[in-house]
Amino acid sequence: TTTTRMLRRITTISTATTMTTTTSAKLPYETFDSWEDGDLGAGFEEEDQHVGTVAGVVALIVGSTVGAGVLALPTATAAAGILPSSGALLGIWTLLLCDALLLAEVNVAIMRERDEDRLYHGRGHSPVVISLSDMAAATLGEEGKLFTSSLYTFMSLTVLIAYISKASDILSSATGLDVSTAAAIFTVGLGGTLCVGGSKVADKLNQALTYGLLAMFLLLVLSGAFYADWDSASWIGSVDAVPSTIPIIFLTLVFHDLVPVVCTYLNGDLKKVRRGILIGSTIPLGMFLAWNAVALALVDGKIGADPLKIISEEVGGAATVLLSAFGLSAIGTSFIGTSLGLSEYLMPKIDDVIQNMDESKEKSPLVRKLYEAMDVYEGKKASFLPSTKRVVAFTSMLAVPLFVAQTFPDIFLPVSTFVGAYGMTLMYGVMPPLMAWKMREQSDLHGVCETKQPSFWHCKITELLPGGQLVLSALSASAIAIAASKIHDDFTHAIGTADLNNVPVAVGLQTVTEVANVLN
């Protein structure tokens, strides 16, 4: 599927470990009951097969988690203080860890279903990644798949606005360019490079940015720890401010789009999957706890202040260059993953549109001219240039985010908060428990595997998260509470800042675009 190719491409650009799991051997067992907690690849011929490692999974998760969210974290947590915000980090990490384990549980169960079906037809294990939309379709039906795909597209476009906005701010401060020009340079420069260079260029660029980002992160935390005034640090700020920190923390800690890749990378070995997710998510948690403490000590109680700008203004010189490079690297790694993932998702759909244009070109002169122009480009373009569908995909997905970021240059934090509160909580807070609930429910109804009718509904499910429906309900309720709290805050803010005659309009703008503060 298109989302499968997207996730496989994300894996390619997120880690130096190459995943080439191929096999033509038949499955070693008639059913998967004996593989309750083992490697789905066990018993296969080893020729041309590479089994992933837990270390590779840890590197993948760490490299992907440390990104743009780290820039928004201190600004969002300053009012709460170091200790309350650290508690919020631990709490959200626990919630997201449980959700990640549920995604792995569902993914491996569907992997067993698929390979059971392949065994039934005389074929071997498939190394193709089972995407989030595939998981939603198998557990919640076509409506679940449509919802997941739509939400993914919306979240991707929204976070691209945030990335472009923050990158333009950093470039503008470093070069003196106006924000609008800086936004265009960043978007066209990096987006064009990804469009023309493809996954190979993106892989090398992303690795360089990731390694540089981690090195600069360590340097900033260590130097910041010495530079900060810990005696006057805001250890305990306002506990009432903790709920407002949660959306950004949620966005910062999310890595769940990689869980399907991790499951395929480790051949469905649930013990390794569980260990890789636990270790891989714990390391970024420790990094964010350290960064949050140092950053809040640096801002010296100034609520809403940007610690990076404070260091730059007070130290200057090489520190300014380092901070600009750190910020752009954090934005760049996130931008690359989101852009490639969304473009891979869009290109097959654009293929369908182009095919429809071919069929209807005789009915419209405009459509005919557009189709002929694309046909000429495909026929005359140099080999290194991207295909028409790739150009259209990148142009369509970056044009609107660029326009919005240029129009509202201070939109990074509001948009990041919006995505964390609504998009991420729905996709990675509500959906995993729902999918696991449905899968377990159907499994309990049908019992053990029936050899002649392979389906994970009929197979024994290995539960990675104990507690049954009570725990699943609590996880979903927690995510819904986060979104509900943000809706309440937005509604209250809209009423407080708008004319009562225009409250519905104000609330709509506040909850959908999160730019009320920018507009005022």
Side-chain angles (χ1 to χ4, degrees), residues 10 13-15 58-68 206 210 252 254-255 257-258 284 333-334:
I10 289 175
I13 66 170
S14 300
T15 180
V58 170
L60 172 64
I61 294 176
V62 172
S64 300
T65 306
V66 181
N206 191 72
T210 299
T252 302
V254 159
F255 61 89
D257 57 334
L258 296 176
T333 54
S334 299

Side-chain angles (χ1 to χ4, degrees), residues 123-179:
R123 296 177 292 171
H125 167 67
S126 171
V128 176
V129 175
I130 298 168
S131 68
L132 291 172
S133 62
D134 294 334
M135 294 162 60
T139 54
L140 304 175
E142 287 302 314
E143 295 82 1
K145 180 177 182 179
L146 177 62
F147 176 80
T148 302
S149 300
S150 302
L151 183 59
Y152 166 76
T153 303
F154 174 75
M155 285 197 308
S156 297
L157 290 173
T158 308
V159 296
L160 283 174
I161 295 173
Y163 297 157
I164 295 171
S165 174
K166 188 61 177 180
S168 65
D169 178 51
I170 297 172
L171 277 177
S172 178
S173 300
T175 62
L177 294 170
D178 64 273
V179 174

Side-chain angles (χ1 to χ4, degrees), residues 257-331:
D257 57 334
L258 296 176
V259 172
V261 177
V262 168
C263 293
T264 300
Y265 181 45
L266 295 176
N267 276 357
D269 187 333
L270 286 176
K271 289 183 179 179
K272 291 183 178 180
V273 170
R274 184 193 296 115
R275 194 181 312 130
I277 290 175
L278 178 60
I279 299 173
S281 62
T282 302
I283 293 175
L285 172 66
M287 295 171 66
F288 292 141
L289 286 170
W291 165 247
N292 185 61
V294 169
L296 295 192
L298 288 171
V299 301
D300 195 21
K302 299 175 183 176
I303 297 175
D306 187 343
L308 300 182
K309 288 187 176 180
I310 290 177
I311 299 174
S312 179
E313 292 170 358
E314 295 188 6
V315 180
T320 301
V321 177
L322 175 64
L323 293 170
S324 297
F326 173 74
L328 287 176
S329 296
I331 293 293

Side-chain angles (χ1 to χ4, degrees), residues 492-512:
T492 303
H493 177 82
I495 292 179
T497 58
D499 186 336
L500 289 179
N501 293 325
N502 296 320
V503 166
V505 175
V507 172
L509 287 173
Q510 182 70 17
T511 56
V512 175

Side-chain angles (χ1 to χ4, degrees), residues 374-394:
M374 291 189 294
D375 192 46
V376 169
Y377 171 79
E378 283 291 337
K380 294 185 177 181
K381 72 178 182 69
S383 58
F384 65 88
L385 291 176
S387 64
T388 300
K389 65 178 180 180
R390 190 172 185 83
V391 173
V392 173
F394 272 85

Side-chain angles (χ1 to χ4, degrees), residues 178-189:
D178 64 273
V179 174
S180 181
T181 302
I185 291 175
F186 173 81
T187 306
V188 175

Side-chain angles (χ1 to χ4, degrees), residues 417-441:
T417 303
F418 172 75
V419 174
Y422 300 121
M424 295 294 181
T425 51
L426 281 174
M427 179 72 87
Y428 304 123
V430 176
M431 295 297 286
L434 286 180
M435 290 190 287
W437 185 306
K438 182 67 174 178
M439 182 186 69
R440 293 178 182 182
E441 183 181 67

